[in-house]
Structures are given as structure tokens and as C-alpha cells.
Amino acid sequence: MNRPGHIGATLLLLSPFIPRIGTEFVVLAAAFSLLPDIDILLRVKHREYTHNITFGVIMTLTAFFAFKHTKIPPLLSLAIFTAVIIHILVDALTMQKFPPFYPFSKKRVAFRVFRSDNPAVNGASFVLGSLAFVYFAGGGYGWW
């Protein structure tokens, strides 16, 4: 997926849980939903080293220890792990295979449901995720 698609998917999947996990968690996860695509900026093989659970664990631990030295609650570091997992799950629906369990397994997966650059899928994901966030952040059912 592209950037709006990943942000939207994260908002769509997490917004219903706002009463339990909080708005801050969802916003942080949406912001970090693009983290696995840092491989593009680093000019390393796309979806190889940053699109896996190991990367999610490393980034979460890094954030946990960084947050301990700030006013950010360290528990919010789990939003980063959640964001990476959602990114991996959504990318698994696209055409390009990648190894989500690297380095423990080099088995590559892709469910090939849609192309990652599909404008309809990315646009719908962003719009639906944004609407879900506004709805649930506004109090859910009582908001209307």
C-alpha cells in the first residue's frame, strides 16, 4: 500500500478500540505505520529487512527505552509494534512477496488480493480509517 493506505488501515483497525487503548495510542500507531517503509529512504531492498516482526520488536524496544527518558509513557511503545504488524498484514495482501518472519524464516508470502499502488484501495482505506477515527474518537455511538 502507499502512505495514505497504511495510515488509513491503521486508523480503521485500531479506532474501534479507542475506549480501551486511548486516542494517543491510535494516533501514534498511525504515525508509525509508515516506519517499515524506511527501507526506501535507506536504499536497501524494499520489504526485506524492515517488513518483519523482528524489525517491529527492535523498534518497540528502542522506543520503550527512549520513552523512559521522556514524559511519554513507555507503554505507548507498543503502538509502534502494533503499527509495524498492521503494516506487515496489509502488505501481505498485495502482490509483492516478502519474508515477514525474517531472519528466522526466509519464506516469502503474498496473498495477492490487490496491487499496492491501487488508488481505489488506498483511497478507501484512508477515507474509511479517517471516518472511523473521527467517529470513535468522538465518543462512538453517542457521537451522532
Side-chain angles (χ1 to χ4, degrees):
M1 293 189 97
N2 63 20
R3 284 174 268 184
H6 280 297
I7 292 168
T10 303
L11 291 173
L12 184 61
L13 292 171
L14 294 182
S15 290
F17 300 102
I18 284 176
R20 296 241 185 241
I21 61 178
T23 305
E24 298 85 3
F25 188 99
V26 175
V27 169
L28 190 62
F32 278 95
S33 67
L34 306 176
L35 185 59
D37 286 336
I38 196 167
D39 56 3
I40 296 168
L41 292 174
L42 298 175
R43 297 179 189 256
V44 296
K45 189 171 180 184
H46 186 51
R47 293 189 180 184
E48 191 72 26
Y49 307 110
T50 61
H51 285 66
N52 56 67
I53 294 171
T54 304
F55 176 76
V57 169
I58 292 168
M59 292 296 101
T60 302
L61 290 173
T62 301
F64 178 82
F65 291 113
F67 290 176
K68 281 183 71 167
H69 300 289
T70 67
K71 293 184 180 190
I72 302 170
L75 194 56
L76 279 179
S77 62
L78 291 177
I80 294 168
F81 184 74
T82 305
V84 171
I85 295 302
I86 291 172
H87 188 110
I88 291 168
L89 291 172
V90 173
D91 275 356
L93 297 174
T94 66
M95 302 295 181
Q96 183 182 353
K97 289 185 174 188
F98 66 98
F101 300 107
Y102 182 86
F104 304 105
S105 171
K106 294 184 181 176
K107 180 170 175 50
R108 303 173 83 75
V109 300
F111 295 110
R112 300 178 183 251
V113 177
F114 54 83
R115 289 179 47 92
S116 60
D117 62 350
N118 184 316
V121 172
N122 284 290
S125 175
F126 185 75
V127 169
L128 292 173
S130 298
L131 290 172
F133 180 76
V134 168
Y135 178 73
F136 288 105
Y141 301 114
W143 187 71
W144 292 101

